[in-house]
Amino acid sequence: MKFAIIAHDQKKEALVSFIKQHIDEFSRHELFATGTTGLRVSEQTGLHVHRFNSGPLGGDQEIGALVANKEIDAIFFFRDPLTAQPHEPDVSALLRLSDVYDVPLATNEGSAGAIISYYESLGD
Ligand SMILES: O=C(CO)COP(=O)(O)O
């Protein structure tokens, strides 16, 4: 499957930690990320990540295009709900497309756990 992994700055360590906790499962899937998130995840987990531009520089929209082309199966987007983002329109556009195309979207660790547990339950 193809997973998008994205995190705002204040949530990057939480996303890395989450992926480490589920490293076996994440290693079974193709990972696509915005620039800095992808670099952080690949450096700290050793996983291969397809990196796009940084989120504020269009990365969210590039991943949104994958969603619109039905090329993403799940999105793990650890958003920072307490910090205004200069590219909020891009974030909203990606969230909207996930609803248009009915793509599972986790915006926090609780929902991420539910989604990854589903894939883990499928086994090999
Ligand atoms: O801002 C982001 C998503 O909206 C994340 O972008 P980076 O992974 O490049 O920091």
Side-chain angles (χ1 to χ4, degrees):
M1 309 302 273
K2 296 182 178 180
F3 292 167
I5 55 172
I6 308 167
H8 287 148
D9 288 345
Q10 294 300 319
K11 295 290 185 178
K12 283 184 170 62
E13 282 314 307
L15 178 62
V16 168
S17 175
F18 179 81
I19 291 174
K20 285 180 176 178
Q21 291 170 36
H22 301 278
I23 192 79
D24 290 344
E25 190 58 39
F26 276 98
S27 66
R28 295 192 180 102
H29 305 280
E30 272 191 277
L31 304 177
F32 299 82
T34 47
T36 310
T37 299
L39 179 62
R40 187 78 59 83
V41 168
S42 60
E43 286 179 340
Q44 296 190 27
T45 68
L47 293 173
H48 174 70
V49 183
H50 301 272
R51 292 175 56 212
F52 291 107
N53 284 310
S54 177
L57 300 182
D60 292 337
Q61 298 219 11
E62 289 175 293
I63 291 176
L66 290 180
V67 171
N69 287 314
K70 301 180 182 178
E71 295 179 38
I72 292 290
D73 299 292
I75 303 170
F76 297 85
F77 189 160
F78 281 32
R79 293 196 303 161
D80 177 357
L82 302 177
T83 306
Q85 303 292 329
H87 60 304
E88 190 60 40
D90 293 11
V91 175
S92 299
L94 175 56
L95 302 185
R96 188 184 74 82
L97 286 175
S98 73
D99 291 338
V100 170
Y101 291 96
D102 199 26
V103 175
L105 165 70
T107 59
N108 56 62
E109 192 162 348
S111 50
I115 293 174
I116 203 67
S117 294
Y118 165 72
Y119 284 100
E120 287 170 335
S121 72
L122 297 179
D124 294 336

